[in-house]
């Protein structure tokens, strides 16, 4: 019993202040509020044109992009501005359907309660309705892991060593002379360097 309490205390100490690791807040599925091991949802926070927005996003390690659905009630007021921004591209779904993506720079993007990206280019789409997907374009910038909770079928996503990763990303942005994080640009740079 004391060993379990010690491990729980150790996990809480590691979870935030020292930059060792931070938990991606686990939240229930948007419609039913249920938790299950096949779907992991987290809250993300961001500012769009100085308005604070919180969304539930499905963490999807099979998704190449982080995409926020423009039919979400919190995003509807910004849909026309994002679409008219003319930063359009596309992606394929798991069933090979093409969807339109609109890149747009947002501010104060909180991945966890500890990890803030001051300015980042995110993708938005009408084609995914009101859903939000947290994909590998951002997840793969970090050292992340999924740990199954002992005695449960649920688990937790953790972002590890995030302070050093944020420092490295900041240096790359400065080297490219941009004032925001573009996950695709960073990934392309990594591909060239490998």
């Amino acid at each position: 019993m004391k060993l379990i309490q010690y491990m729980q205390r150790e996990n809480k100490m590691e979870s935030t202040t020292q930059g060792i690791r931070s938990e991606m807040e686990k939240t229930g599925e948007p419609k039913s509020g249920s938790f299950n091991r096949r779907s992991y949802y987290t809250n993300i926070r961001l500012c769009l044109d100085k308005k604070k927005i919180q969304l539930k996003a499905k963490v999807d390690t099979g998704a190449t992009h982080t995409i926020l659905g423009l039919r979400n009630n919190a995003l509807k007021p910004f849909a026309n501005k994002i679409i008219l921004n003319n930063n359009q591209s596309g992606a394929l779904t798991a069933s090979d359907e093409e969807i339109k993506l609109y890149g747009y720079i947002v501010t104060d993007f909180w991945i966890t309660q500890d990890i803030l990206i001051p300015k980042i280019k995110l993708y938005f789409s009408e084609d995914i309705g009101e859903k939000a997907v947290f994909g590998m374009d951002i997840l793969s910038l970090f050292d992340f892991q999924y740990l199954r909770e002992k005695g449960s079928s649920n688990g937790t996503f953790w972002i590890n060593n995030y302070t050093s990763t944020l420092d490295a990303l900041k240096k790359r942005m400065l080297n490219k002379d941009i004032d925001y994080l573009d996950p695709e640009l960073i990934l392309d740079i990594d591909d060239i360097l490998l």
Side-chain angles (χ1 to χ4, degrees):
M1 185 67 170
K2 287 186 178 188
L3 178 62
I4 292 171
Q5 289 172 341
Y6 173 76
M7 289 172 55
Q8 289 172 337
R9 192 171 61 245
E10 282 297 303
N11 284 339
K12 286 180 183 172
M13 286 176 28
E14 285 184 322
S15 68
T16 57
T17 58
Q18 300 169 8
I20 296 171
R21 67 186 207 172
S22 182
E23 180 180 355
M24 294 183 80
E25 179 186 356
K26 189 180 352 183
T27 185
E29 192 271 328
K31 291 188 179 178
S32 70
S34 66
F35 293 88
N36 65 59
R37 65 179 174 78
R38 294 177 301 277
S39 300
Y40 191 98
Y41 288 84
T42 190
N43 287 320
I44 55 173
R45 297 182 313 270
L46 58 107
C47 285
L48 256 172
D49 297 334
K50 299 182 181 177
K51 181 168 177 21
K52 293 180 182 182
I53 295 172
Q54 180 171 309
L55 301 169
K56 285 186 179 188
K58 182 177 185 177
V59 178
D60 189 344
T61 58
T64 56
H65 294 80
T66 297
I67 307 170
L68 308 180
L70 286 173
R71 295 193 182 142
N72 184 298
N73 287 336
L75 299 175
K76 280 181 184 179
F78 306 98
N80 286 337
K81 185 173 185 177
I82 291 169
I83 291 168
L84 295 174
N85 189 40
N86 286 329
N87 192 347
Q88 184 178 339
S89 61
L92 292 176
T93 66
S95 56
D96 279 337
E97 295 175 29
E98 188 166 341
I99 60 172
K100 289 181 186 174
L101 300 178
Y102 302 95
Y104 195 80
I105 298 169
V106 303
T107 58
D108 297 338
F109 181 66
W110 290 92
I111 296 173
T112 71
Q113 67 179 3
D114 306 303
I115 303 174
L116 167 67
I117 299 176
K119 275 177 102 173
I120 186 170
K121 179 180 176 184
L122 294 179
Y123 287 97
F124 297 82
S125 180
E126 294 176 298
D127 298 330
I128 67 166
E130 61 186 43
K131 298 175 187 171
V133 177
F134 195 103
M136 288 300 288
D137 58 338
I138 296 175
L139 270 177
S140 66
L141 296 173
F142 296 91
D143 172 19
F144 71 94
Q145 69 184 140
Y146 179 81
L147 293 175
R148 189 163 163 234
E149 296 166 6
K150 200 162 190 99
S152 170
S153 62
N154 294 325
T156 302
F157 269 97
W158 291 90
I159 306 284
N160 301 311
N161 306 313
Y162 61 88
T163 52
S164 58
T165 301
L166 290 172
D167 290 342
L169 290 171
K170 188 185 295 183
K171 287 178 188 172
R172 288 184 186 181
M173 289 179 347
L174 292 174
N175 289 343
K176 291 295 170 190
D177 200 27
I178 55 177
D179 69 342
Y180 64 93
L181 177 63
D182 184 336
E184 286 221 348
L185 180 60
I186 298 295
L187 289 175
D188 290 344
I189 291 169
D190 284 346
D191 290 342
I192 291 168
L193 295 175
L194 293 177

